[in-house]
Amino acid sequence: MQEDEYTVYINPILEDLVPGFLQNRQNEILSLEQMCLSRDFESIKRLGHQLKGVGPNYGFQKLGELGAAIELAAEHRKIESITLIIQGIRNYLTHLKIQFQ
């Protein structure tokens, strides 16, 4: 991921909601890892679908793309791909730079 992919421009109206939103995503990473351990592909697919929708709604387009990728990988039961995408989400959230404008 290039550096500019980590910069997200968010509507200031959402500023108070963003910390909780990001904490929920951190919690979902842990859930996804547990789902991987138990090979719960249906739950992984469902959570990927949620990320695909909620990410862009808050202005996090890349998070939506990663959610779509998880959904597709879960549909095809590709655990290695799912694991890599989870790492990508963790990396994205770690390096994220938010600008409210």
Side-chain angles (χ1 to χ4, degrees):
M1 232 181 270
Q2 296 183 10
E3 184 153 338
D4 59 345
E5 289 185 274
Y6 294 112
T7 302
V8 180
Y9 301 94
I10 305 290
N11 187 323
I13 291 173
L14 300 174
E15 189 168 358
D16 291 339
L17 301 175
V18 169
F21 173 85
L22 293 175
Q23 182 58 54
N24 288 340
R25 303 306 65 88
Q26 293 290 346
N27 295 340
E28 288 169 349
I29 288 172
L30 299 175
S31 295
L32 283 166
E33 290 172 338
Q34 287 300 316
M35 291 172 194
C36 282
L37 289 174
S38 63
R39 302 290 201 257
D40 185 354
F41 292 104
E42 209 43 53
S43 294
I44 294 168
K45 181 179 172 184
R46 192 171 28 257
L47 189 47
H49 182 78
Q50 288 174 317
L51 284 171
K52 179 175 77 173
V54 76
N57 285 340
Y58 276 78
F60 297 93
Q61 300 300 327
K62 186 66 178 175
L63 191 58
E65 293 169 14
L66 292 166
I70 281 183
E71 182 181 22
L72 185 61
E75 190 172 305
H76 295 286
R77 305 176 76 80
K78 294 185 175 184
I79 198 70
E80 297 85 12
S81 296
I82 295 166
T83 302
L84 289 173
I85 298 164
I86 293 169
Q87 291 172 358
I89 293 171
R90 178 176 278 118
N91 186 50
Y92 175 72
L93 294 175
T94 300
H95 294 94
L96 191 61
K97 294 179 178 95
I98 300 172
Q99 294 189 16
F100 295 97
Q101 63 177 32

